[in-house]
Amino acid sequence: MRKVVSLYLPSWSTDRWRRQQGSVAPPPGEPLVLAGREGSARLIQAACARARRLGLHPGLPVAQGQARVPGLHVHEADPAADQAALERLGLWCLRRYSPLVALDPPDGLWLDATGVGHLFGDDRAMLEDLVLRLARSGIAARCAMAGTPGAAHGLARHGYQRITLADRQIHEALGVLPIEALRLPDEMVRSLRKLGFEQVGELCRTSRAALALRFGALLGERLDQMFGRLAEPLTPLAPPELVRVERAFVEPIGTAESLEHQLDLLVAALCTRLAARALGVRRLDLLCRRVDARTEAVRIGTGTPSQDPRHLLRLLALRLDGIDPGFGIERLALVATLVEPVRPQQTSSLVRDRQQEIVGLVDTLANRLGASRLYRTVPVESDLPERAVSRVAALAPPQAPTQAAGWPAILPRPARLLASPEPVDTLALLPDHPPSQFVWRGIRRQVVRADGPERVFGEWWRQDTERHSVRDYFQVEDQAGERFWLFRSGDGMDPASGPMRWYLHGLFA
């Protein structure tokens, strides 16, 4: 199933202008509009979120906007700079999120996310990561995922949620959208509203012949594109600086054998170019242009820069099942969207390279499960257990001995540490006695053996609330032989050290 993401940037022009002006720009809370001339009239071209809430919108004369909002900040629009900045954002999305990104000017992008979401956990996690990263950069964004570019476009701009994922009720959700979601000319929208049409569903229930006679073929095409009855190909961004190889075919190919053969030739040519530039690929996209103008895309990633054709072919072969050739593929392209320099290494055919075997295994698992789900842990210098471990990439270089904190050897740590300590009900003497029994997740456990306490203090240099905090950890064993790691928050004497609550933090093997 095809998955297309529409990324909508409602204040793209004004957000870009504020970032460009820096401290000279008015604060984000101040209403800001960008104006331009259309003939002899000076009209608002873009408005920030604050200005739109005050009733200002593109197309409104600047004089009316200043009359409605005293103290309105008005500056000249620069559509060329907006377009260039949108292309740069599209290239960033191309390198990080999707093998196929297309412009949806003046304030949006399309991303083909078919088969990509698992690399981030799932589709919603990918969209949340995208919106969060843009928000950290001062860019307001909304996005929607649907089966067609038209449906995603309409849901992103006129849906009720900041992040929308199409579900089984997609036709009902599209039917209640306003007719502006169809990307029709403003004059046509005004004419439709004069006739009483307000929602997309009302147009779907109207005779297609009558609509075509009155408004032409465009209205029917937009409806068919939104509901998937008519293909809408996307024109992908193709930055010239990326390493790219492609092959076009006189006769379209469609069988798995022919696809694998052509892919073998493409990967060999790509690795030759990479070797000439002393580069290795970290992220590789396969773009399959079908005869119906639709593009099927596959993305793979590697943990270390790679120039090995066999390794790259093996990773691509795992994803070929997700490609639908349709009536045939007329063009194949391999694009290295992320590359890194590689150092020449001496190899020998007499010695087994175990490091490369590990790299191949890690890359295979990462492309199947998602890179975020494959990691290893390293020690961090901290007394608090939840901060004493950090996740790093599976193939990250080992820490230097001076940087590794190490875990305590005398005081054992549980094999499983809970994501966050869970409160338990206990029966215990104070101040230094372990609990005689406790209730965790609805099960009462009688303690037969215990060791402790191990006192851990808060890290006062991180935040003031930890200046006086204290934890007393105990290792306890119940009647069934299971061992747990409990702690009491507080020392039993000073109320500032903690609320005297008990928590379960880990389980021993």
Side-chain angles (χ1 to χ4, degrees), residues 13-14 33-38 41-47 57-60 62 75-79 82 106:
S13 298
T14 54
V33 298
L34 302 180
R37 290 195 174 276
E38 295 185 8
R42 191 161 184 253
L43 305 178
I44 294 177
Q45 301 292 335
H57 56 84
L60 185 73
V62 174
H75 298 274
E76 293 301 319
D78 190 352
D82 293 341

Side-chain angles (χ1 to χ4, degrees), residues 124 127-129 131 142-144 161-165:
R124 178 169 290 277
L127 298 185
E128 290 177 347
D129 182 77
V131 172
R142 295 168 56 91
C143 59
Q161 300 177 353
R162 187 183 62 171
I163 297 176
T164 305
L165 274 76

Side-chain angles (χ1 to χ4, degrees), residues 189-398:
V189 171
R190 287 192 289 268
S191 299
L192 287 169
R193 288 197 174 276
K194 288 180 181 179
L195 295 176
F197 293 103
E198 298 289 340
Q199 297 179 340
V200 173
E202 297 171 353
L203 294 173
C204 295
R205 294 188 292 269
T206 304
S207 170
R208 181 65 64 87
L211 292 175
L213 183 64
R214 180 72 179 267
F215 298 101
L218 179 62
L219 178 56
E221 290 178 0
R222 292 303 192 197
L223 285 172
D224 290 339
Q225 288 173 345
M226 173 176 280
F227 289 93
R229 296 186 291 266
L230 180 64
E232 183 177 5
L234 300 178
T235 304
L237 283 173
E241 69 274 10
L242 296 183
V243 181
R244 179 187 181 100
V245 293
E246 58 183 59
R247 293 176 66 90
F249 312 110
V250 177
E251 292 291 336
I253 63 174
T255 63
E257 293 78 9
S258 58
L259 181 59
E260 291 176 359
H261 174 68
Q262 297 297 333
L263 193 57
D264 192 356
L265 300 177
L266 277 176
V267 171
L270 178 73
C271 291
T272 301
R273 293 193 182 185
L274 291 171
R277 302 186 187 185
L279 296 175
V281 65
R282 288 292 309 277
R283 190 173 296 126
L284 183 63
D285 295 340
L286 171 63
L287 306 179
C288 307
R289 180 78 172 183
R290 307 193 324 187
V291 295
D292 59 358
R294 176 175 165 180
T295 300
E296 294 283 324
V298 165
R299 166 166 287 184
I300 63 169
T302 61
T304 57
S306 176
Q307 298 175 345
D308 186 359
R310 292 178 299 176
H311 179 51
L312 298 178
L313 271 173
R314 188 161 51 249
L315 296 180
L316 287 170
L318 297 174
R319 306 297 308 282
L320 292 183
D321 292 341
I323 295 179
D324 179 11
F327 293 103
I329 297 173
E330 62 181 6
R331 182 181 294 271
L332 285 177
L334 275 179
V335 186
T337 53
L338 181 61
V339 295
E340 292 181 3
V342 294
R343 298 178 180 178
Q345 295 181 351
Q346 183 69 34
T347 59
S348 173
S349 60
L350 302 177
V351 180
R352 187 176 181 181
D353 192 349
R354 296 188 178 276
Q355 178 65 25
Q356 288 301 319
E357 294 179 357
I358 295 175
V359 169
L361 175 61
V362 169
D363 288 344
T364 301
L365 294 176
N367 283 277
R368 286 183 176 179
L369 306 176
S372 62
R373 297 183 177 181
L374 199 65
Y375 57 88
R376 60 186 180 86
T377 57
V378 295
V380 178
E381 190 172 357
S382 177
D383 290 333
L384 294 179
E386 62 268 26
R387 296 176 184 166
V389 177
S390 177
R391 295 182 180 181
V392 298
L395 297 176

Side-chain angles (χ1 to χ4, degrees), residues 123-181:
D123 294 334
R124 178 169 290 277
M126 183 188 73
L127 298 185
E128 290 177 347
D129 182 77
L130 173 59
V131 172
L132 179 59
R133 289 182 181 272
L134 291 175
R136 289 174 179 172
S137 301
I139 302 174
R142 295 168 56 91
C143 59
M145 178 182 288
T148 65
H153 177 98
L155 291 171
R157 285 157 175 77
H158 303 281
Y160 296 105
Q161 300 177 353
R162 187 183 62 171
I163 297 176
T164 305
L165 274 76
D167 52 15
R168 297 179 180 178
Q169 289 77 30
I170 179 64
H171 290 278
E172 298 178 7
L174 296 177
V176 298
L177 294 179
I179 56 177
E180 287 83 357

